[in-house]
Amino acid sequence: MPKIKPSKGAPYARILGVGGYRPTRVVPNEVILETIDSSDEWIRSRSGIETRHWANDEETVAAMSLEASGKAIADAGITAAQIGAVVVSTVSHFKQTPAVATEIAYKLGTAKAAAFDISAGCAGFGYGLTLAKGMIVEGSAEYVLVIGVERLSDLTDLEDRATAFLFGDGAGAVVVGPAQEPAIGPTVWGSEGDKSETIKQTVPWTDYREGEVEKFPAITQEGQAVFRWAVFEMAKVAQQALDAAGITSDELDVFIPHQANERIIDSMVKTLKLPETVTVARDVRTTGNTSAASIPLAMERLLATGEAKSGDTALVIGFGAGLVYAATVVTLP
């Protein structure tokens, strides 16, 4: 039998550029309090969230993605025509098919790039980053655009006291390209499907379509169960990612966890025993929980404000509905 030729990819991959887009409308806690019995102090103490961004009619999943992607491509110093694949992580694109990635690839001006969506909730960016790394090393693409984007305001029940204040909208994107030395570490990822009921859509679309329920489907969660899982289990996964990359906490410059809840972030920092010299992303305060978009949005803000710099070593970890998770160590663009 003939032998298949080995792939001719790059030896390694790295993040070359990052971009973000936050909707123009800023929503303070006072707006949330119009529909739930709570207080600004309670929301801040439980989550750290002060404001979030909600999209208007024009700020669609595709439109926000295009804005973030354009910035990431410019930051990477390449052209859209050089993008060989577009990977979009989202749970809030309401067309089952075609994938929104195909629209984005076309409107950006890529040369018929491979394009597909993935559904991995708040771990979606990490999943996409891992797929991009594989494509580049394998040789099926030289540059890959990874997008995390959500319009979670469309899936928020404003009368649900447990979740109404949590979610925001936005898009974050990175360009992943070839590198001559390791810049994206091994990914520690997985799922715990036995806990899938702790974060879920309230009812399937079919129930709504067939009139069995009148309320539009929304995202709900068992707050305490999710909190315990994230604090105790995800700190272990984060440590495994450090170990896999051969990095100690003392060698880390930046920590970018999924921006779900500031109390979870604080607990993970304590459990990991991160030194005070490590910059910790706290974008959740003004952006809320944007699921798949939260890590690239937080990364973009840290670099834009100078709290992190190019070449820094960062630990990123996403976790959420599924329950799924993904953690890795990266060199910042």
Side-chain angles (χ1 to χ4, degrees):
M1 294 181 65
K3 292 183 178 180
I4 297 174
K5 292 182 179 180
S7 300
K8 294 183 178 179
Y12 305 104
R14 69 168 295 147
I15 299 174
L16 298 174
V18 60
Y21 180 80
R22 293 170 174 81
T24 55
R25 183 187 178 192
V26 177
V27 179
N29 288 338
E30 285 72 22
V31 171
I32 307 299
L33 297 175
E34 294 174 5
T35 52
I36 61 170
D37 180 18
S38 188
S39 69
D40 177 60
E41 189 279 330
W42 187 90
I43 293 174
R44 292 185 189 222
S45 66
R46 289 296 190 280
S47 68
I49 298 172
E50 302 166 9
T51 61
R52 74 284 293 145
H53 295 255
W54 283 355
N56 60 33
D57 291 343
E58 288 73 38
E59 292 167 321
T60 63
V61 165
M64 292 190 293
S65 296
L66 288 166
E67 290 287 342
S69 298
K71 295 175 184 176
I73 291 169
D75 192 42
I78 66 169
T79 66
Q82 293 175 273
I83 298 291
V86 177
V87 182
V88 178
S89 178
T90 185
V91 299
S92 47
H93 173 59
F94 292 151
K95 286 184 180 179
Q96 194 71 37
T97 192
V100 71
T102 58
E103 177 184 349
I104 295 165
Y106 169 70
K107 289 184 175 179
L108 281 173
T110 68
K112 299 183 179 179
F116 58 95
D117 298 350
I118 58 176
S119 177
C122 305
F125 176 75
Y127 275 48
L129 189 64
T130 303
L131 294 173
K133 174 185 174 182
M135 284 185 246
I136 290 160
V137 174
E138 186 271 339
S140 58
E142 185 176 12
Y143 299 100
V144 179
L145 179 66
V146 179
I147 303 166
V149 57
E150 301 292 2
R151 270 183 59 122
L152 293 182
S153 57
D154 292 333
L155 287 168
T156 299
D157 180 354
L158 292 178
E159 296 179 348
D160 180 0
R161 189 172 184 270
T163 61
F165 59 91
L166 287 176
F167 302 122
D169 303 337
V174 299
V175 171
V176 183
Q180 295 304 309
E181 58 184 28
I184 300 175
T187 300
V188 177
W189 58 352
S191 65
E192 297 186 30
D194 59 311
K195 301 179 181 67
S196 61
E197 290 294 300
T198 57
I199 305 175
K200 63 180 182 180
Q201 185 171 304
T202 49
V203 295
W205 299 112
T206 49
D207 286 3
Y208 182 73
R209 180 190 65 190
E210 293 164 6
E212 295 180 22
V213 292
E214 294 182 358
K215 205 167 190 178
F216 193 76
I219 296 173
T220 186
Q221 69 174 24
E222 298 173 15
Q224 286 302 314
V226 173
F227 182 88
R228 288 193 298 271
W229 175 77
V231 168
F232 296 110
E233 298 303 321
M234 291 305 97
K236 297 176 186 176
V237 171
Q239 184 61 57
Q240 290 169 15
L242 287 173
D243 295 342
I247 299 293
T248 67
S249 59
D250 291 337
E251 296 173 303
L252 200 62
D253 299 307
V254 184
F255 180 42
I256 311 178
H258 166 48
Q259 301 294 291
N261 181 306
E262 194 166 33
R263 290 173 63 202
I264 293 175
I265 295 171
D266 288 340
S267 296
M268 292 182 71
V269 168
K270 184 178 180 180
T271 302
L272 289 168
K273 298 179 181 178
L274 297 184
E276 293 184 1
T277 54
V278 174
T279 297
V280 179
R282 299 184 184 279
D283 197 42
V284 66
R285 293 173 179 171
T286 55
T287 306
N289 180 345
T290 55
S291 189
S294 79
I295 290 175
L297 277 174
M299 183 185 294
E300 185 261 353
R301 174 161 282 173
L302 289 176
L303 289 166
T305 60
E307 295 173 80
K309 62 184 185 300
S310 175
D312 278 353
T313 300
L315 169 63
V316 299
I317 178 170
F319 46 86
L323 293 170
V324 295
Y325 55 87
T328 189
V329 174
V330 303
T331 301
L332 294 182

